[in-house]
Amino acid sequence: MFRSCCYSRLLRHKETLIRTRRNLILGIETSCDDTGAAVIDLSGRLLGESLSTQLSTRFGGVIPTFAMVFHTDKIQGVVEEALKQADVTMEDVSVIAVTNRPGLKGPLIIGTDYAKYLCTKYNKPLIPIHHMAAHALTVRMEQDVKFPFLFLLISGGHCILGIAKDIDNFTLLGEGLDGSPGEMLDKAARNLKLHSLPNMRDISGGLAVETLAKKAVNPIKFTVPLHNERNCNFSFSGYKGHLHLVLRRLEKNRELPFDSQSVIPEASDVCAGLQYAVSKHLCERLQRGIEFTEYKELMSVGSTLVVSGGVASNQFIRGSISRVCESLGWKAVFPNPKLCTDNGIMIAWAGYEFWRSERGIIQPQDVFQVPVIPKCPIGNNISQEVTQANLKCKWVSME
Ligand code: KG4
Ligand code: ZN
C-alpha cells in the first residue's frame, strides 16, 4: 500500500515535471549585431541562454551585410546552445518570440525567418516583438515595476525617452535627432585609438571610454547640446565635431602626425569630459520629461524611471541619472548590466509578457504573414506637445 502510494505520488510528480517542461518560451534576437537566444519558463525564470556578439564597434560600426552573414552563421548554434543549457528540446517549447522590428533589415530577416521555420517545423505559435519595447520591459523580469513608468533607452542604435503604459502601449516624449550616445562613444573611442591599449581590444567603445575616464586628471569641457531647446529630444553630432577639433589641437601640441597610432596622454581627460557632457545632456532632457509628465498629470512624483540599453551599463551615467531622479522625488531603476545590452533574454521575457496576457500570439499556420519592419515607431509621438508646453527647467545637480 505504502509503496504503491509513493509510486503514484512519484508518477504525479513526474507528470507535473513533464507538464512544466512543456511550457517554455524561446526568445530570438538578431536586430543588430548580436545573435541571441534564451529559454524561460512560464513563471519568467531563465533556464538557458546563448549570445554571440560581433566586435563591430572597433571596425567602424555595424556593416549590415557582414552582420547578416554573421547571424546566418550563428543563429542555429545559438538557439541550440540556449536549449541545451536549459536541458530541453524544441518539443518542450510552447511559443517562440522573435524581434521583427525595428532594426537592420537583413539581420531582422535572418532571425525572423529562422523563428518562422521552427514554428512551422514544430507547430508552435509566434510572438513578434518590438526591440525597443523589449528593452523597456526587461526590468520587470527582475524588479516589480508597475505601469505606467517612464523609460530612457540609451544604446548604440537608439536614444528614446517615453512612457510605458502597458506591454503594448508606449508614448514617445523625445528621441535622438542625429545618432545615439553609444554610437558617439564608439566613434570617440576609435578616434582616440583606445582599442590599441592593453585589455581594450575587445571591449565596446563605450566601456573603453568609461574605463579611461576613471584615470582623468583634468577633464576637458564639452558643450551640452540643445541646452536651451525646450523639448526632450537628443543630439549627438555636435560632440563629433567638437571632439575632432580637440583631438587635432592636442595632437598638434604633441607634434604627433595626423594618422599616428599612439594614444594621446590626454585621452583620459577627453573621455571624462565626453562622459560628463553626455550624462549632463541625458539628465537635462530627462528632467524636462519628468516635469512634463507631472505638468500634464500623466505621471506623478514618486514614479519610476527605467533606464536600459547598452549605455545604461555605464556607472557614471547611472549615478548621474539616479541623483537627478532622487532630487525630483522619482526612483531610477536599471536592469542588471548584462540585460541592458542586446540579448535573447529580453525577447523571451517580452514574449512571456504577451503570452501571459494572451496578446500578440500568431498561430503556426499564419506565421509567414508576419513582416519584418526595419523602421517602426515605439508608439504615439507627443514630442510636439512637449515643445508646446515650453517648460523652463531649473536644473537639479547630477553630482
Ligand atoms: O543595447 P546595445 O547592446 O546595442 C544596441 O546598440 O542596440 O548597446 C551597445 C552600445 C555600444 O554603443 C556600446 O559602446 C555602449 O552600448 N556601451 C557603453 C558601455 N557599455 C556598452 N556605453 C557607455 N558605457 C559603457 N560601460
Ligand atoms: Zn538594443
Side-chain angles (χ1 to χ4, degrees):
M1 173 68 188
F2 172 77
R3 277 175 65 139
S4 79
C5 172
C6 265
Y7 184 62
S8 66
R9 220 183 301 146
L10 196 69
L11 261 184
R12 268 206 309 278
H13 176 64
K14 212 168 164 196
E15 269 168 27
T16 320
L17 260 182
I18 291 167
R19 263 207 309 279
T20 348
R21 279 166 65 95
R22 287 190 180 276
N23 271 325
L24 305 175
I25 297 180
L26 168 68
I28 299 177
E29 157 64 32
T30 62
S31 67
C32 188
D33 54 353
D34 298 297
T35 321
V39 178
I40 63 176
D41 67 17
L42 287 191
S43 64
R45 196 164 49 103
L46 178 65
L47 301 182
E49 60 143 337
S50 178
L51 184 67
S52 198
T53 301
Q54 299 170 58
L55 298 170
S56 44
T57 53
R58 256 200 292 141
F59 308 114
V62 185
I63 303 166
T65 43
F66 282 25
M68 206 171 159
V69 173
F70 181 86
H71 290 303
T72 311
D73 276 359
K74 301 285 174 189
I75 185 83
Q76 188 178 352
V78 164
V79 169
E80 282 172 4
E81 176 59 28
L83 292 167
K84 193 175 147 205
Q85 263 196 29
D87 194 21
V88 297
T89 66
M90 271 309 297
E91 309 294 342
D92 300 310
V93 170
S94 296
V95 61
I96 301 173
V98 67
T99 311
N100 77 321
R101 66 197 193 279
L104 299 171
K105 189 174 175 189
L108 280 174
I109 290 174
I110 304 297
T112 310
D113 276 0
Y114 192 68
K116 289 175 183 174
Y117 155 74
L118 291 177
C119 288
T120 311
K121 182 169 178 193
Y122 296 98
N123 196 32
K124 311 284 178 191
L126 183 77
I127 304 184
I129 300 291
H130 191 291
H131 179 84
M132 307 310 298
H135 268 307
L137 296 172
T138 312
V139 73
R140 285 160 52 86
M141 186 171 180
E142 299 175 321
Q143 301 179 47
D144 183 24
V145 176
K146 299 216 161 43
F147 296 111
F149 59 84
L150 198 63
F151 64 89
L152 175 66
L153 303 180
I154 39 179
S155 73
H158 9 255
C159 190
I160 291 185
L161 180 66
I163 305 170
K165 296 178 180 162
D166 200 341
I167 58 168
D168 53 1
N169 186 355
F170 298 86
T171 301
L172 186 78
L173 298 175
E175 63 189 328
L177 301 175
D178 49 15
S180 68
E183 181 211 6
M184 190 277 287
L185 293 172
D186 290 337
K187 212 161 250 175
R190 278 200 302 279
N191 289 344
L192 285 161
K193 294 144 194 139
L194 300 188
H195 295 299
S196 62
L197 290 171
N199 302 327
M200 296 216 180
R201 223 185 91 81
D202 291 335
I203 63 173
S204 73
L207 181 56
V209 169
E210 179 179 19
T211 311
L212 224 68
K214 291 185 182 137
K215 299 181 185 150
V217 183
N218 196 8
I220 289 168
K221 215 166 178 275
F222 284 88
T223 334
V224 178
L226 308 181
H227 186 64
N228 295 317
E229 304 244 342
R230 294 186 184 171
N231 56 45
C232 289
N233 289 327
F234 304 82
S235 173
F236 300 94
S237 60
Y239 291 111
K240 295 178 206 162
H242 194 167
L243 177 65
H244 183 78
L245 293 177
V246 169
L247 290 186
R248 292 299 84 85
R249 179 171 53 78
L250 292 172
E251 283 169 357
K252 206 165 150 215
N253 290 351
R254 297 263 164 201
E255 295 180 353
L256 288 172
F258 178 74
D259 57 355
S260 159
Q261 279 312 301
S262 44
V263 176
I264 50 166
E266 295 88 349
S268 47
D269 290 339
V270 174
C271 289
L274 264 183
Q275 186 177 251
Y276 181 91
V278 172
S279 298
K280 183 81 183 120
H281 181 43
L282 295 174
C283 286
E284 286 186 359
R285 317 322 287 170
L286 173 63
Q287 182 176 340
R288 179 165 287 103
I290 287 179
E291 293 186 8
F292 173 80
T293 59
E294 288 179 5
Y295 171 71
K296 288 279 182 180
E297 295 181 357
L298 298 170
M299 302 190 66
S300 54
V301 181
S303 298
T304 299
L305 166 77
V306 169
V307 192
S308 194
V311 181
S313 46
N314 182 295
Q315 294 302 322
F316 184 86
I317 294 175
R318 281 184 176 224
S320 307
I321 291 175
S322 298
R323 283 184 287 277
V324 165
C325 281
E326 204 179 320
S327 299
L328 298 170
W330 281 50
K331 185 177 165 212
V333 298
F334 305 83
N336 182 320
K338 197 177 145 223
L339 292 180
C340 283
T341 49
D342 290 353
N343 59 73
I345 305 171
M346 65 188 229
I347 306 306
W349 174 263
Y352 168 63
E353 295 255 30
F354 278 86
W355 179 252
R356 70 175 168 185
S357 47
E358 295 176 18
R359 277 181 259 176
I361 304 165
I362 311 292
Q363 291 311 313
Q365 66 275 14
D366 299 326
V367 296
F368 281 99
Q369 284 161 29
V370 171
V372 151
I373 315 171
K375 281 197 167 46
C376 182
I378 191 169
N380 182 24
N381 184 343
I382 61 163
S383 58
Q384 287 297 331
E385 280 183 43
V386 181
T387 308
Q388 279 155 15
N390 198 26
L391 296 179
K392 184 175 189 312
C393 301
K394 193 167 178 296
W395 304 124
V396 297
S397 171
M398 63 175 209
E399 281 151 78

